[in-house]
Amino acid sequence: MPAQFILNLFIAFLWMVLNDEDELRFSTFFIGFLAGIVIVFLMHRFFGTQFYLQRFYYVVKLVCIFNWELFLSAFLVMKHIVSWKVDVKPGIFSYKTELKTDWEVTTLAMLLTLTPGSVVMEVSPEGNVFYIHALDIERYKDTLLRSLGKFEKAIMEVTR
């Protein structure tokens, strides 16, 4: 994938140089970069890897999923804080993950820990089981499992 990006930069610079302008402009470089994206996309199968902007799309998608889950969980925690009657049943449960590399496991643990109402307490030595503390396990365990599934799928899209 770095080769695709370098080729795209080369096409953009070539476009900028071959345009008959008196001075170098960012707009000319940008148009050349867009032309390079199209050319590299049409040729990416010859590189034997996926198109390099596809991974960028998956990273943006992961960030958007995290922001949405952060908003939802913050709203649920805020609802608990503002309510007159505190009726929470905290608890700990285990979650078996399909993620394999240290980077994937660490990313999932950090995304979950940054989400209000849940904390990853421990990861098994093999790295495939999380022990998670939830603020209200009876009501929101299904929501938390759904969030974990979304995070896990998005992380696998980015890394694989």
Side-chain angles (χ1 to χ4, degrees), residues 11-29:
I11 292 169
F13 280 116
L14 192 64
W15 181 279
M16 192 170 61
V17 169
L18 293 179
N19 264 336
D20 214 14
E21 295 182 354
D22 296 335
E23 59 187 49
L24 301 177
R25 293 190 179 130
F26 178 74
S27 61
T28 308
F29 175 79

Side-chain angles (χ1 to χ4, degrees), residues 33-104:
F33 192 78
L34 291 178
I37 287 174
V38 171
I39 292 169
V40 171
F41 178 73
L42 293 174
M43 295 176 49
H44 82 277
R45 66 178 181 185
F46 298 115
F47 290 101
T49 59
Q50 68 180 358
F51 182 54
Y52 79 99
L53 285 180
Q54 191 172 11
R55 182 163 291 180
F56 177 73
Y57 167 74
Y58 289 141
V59 169
V60 170
K61 182 179 169 184
L62 176 62
V63 169
C64 290
I65 289 171
F66 171 69
N67 285 334
W68 178 250
E69 293 298 326
L70 180 69
F71 172 76
L72 287 179
S73 62
F75 180 75
L76 291 175
V77 170
M78 184 175 61
K79 196 166 80 171
H80 277 294
I81 292 170
V82 174
S83 69
W84 289 99
K85 188 172 113 179
V86 179
D87 185 26
V88 294
K89 305 264 189 295
I92 299 169
F93 68 96
S94 64
Y95 178 76
K96 185 164 176 61
T97 182
E98 296 175 14
L99 302 176
K100 293 179 179 41
T101 66
D102 290 340
W103 188 88
E104 293 173 338

Side-chain angles (χ1 to χ4, degrees), residues 83-148:
S83 69
W84 289 99
K85 188 172 113 179
V86 179
D87 185 26
V88 294
K89 305 264 189 295
I92 299 169
F93 68 96
S94 64
Y95 178 76
K96 185 164 176 61
T97 182
E98 296 175 14
L99 302 176
K100 293 179 179 41
T101 66
D102 290 340
W103 188 88
E104 293 173 338
V105 170
T106 304
T107 303
L108 181 61
M110 290 296 111
L111 288 176
L112 191 62
T113 300
L114 288 172
T115 306
S118 60
V119 175
V120 176
M121 296 175 39
E122 187 175 350
V123 179
S124 70
E126 296 83 26
N128 62 348
V129 177
F130 289 107
Y131 297 99
I132 301 167
H133 179 273
L135 177 68
D136 195 354
I137 198 160
E138 287 182 359
R139 272 191 256 170
Y140 301 119
K141 183 178 179 184
D142 294 334
T143 305
L144 192 58
L145 289 173
R146 183 182 49 79
S147 296
L148 278 166

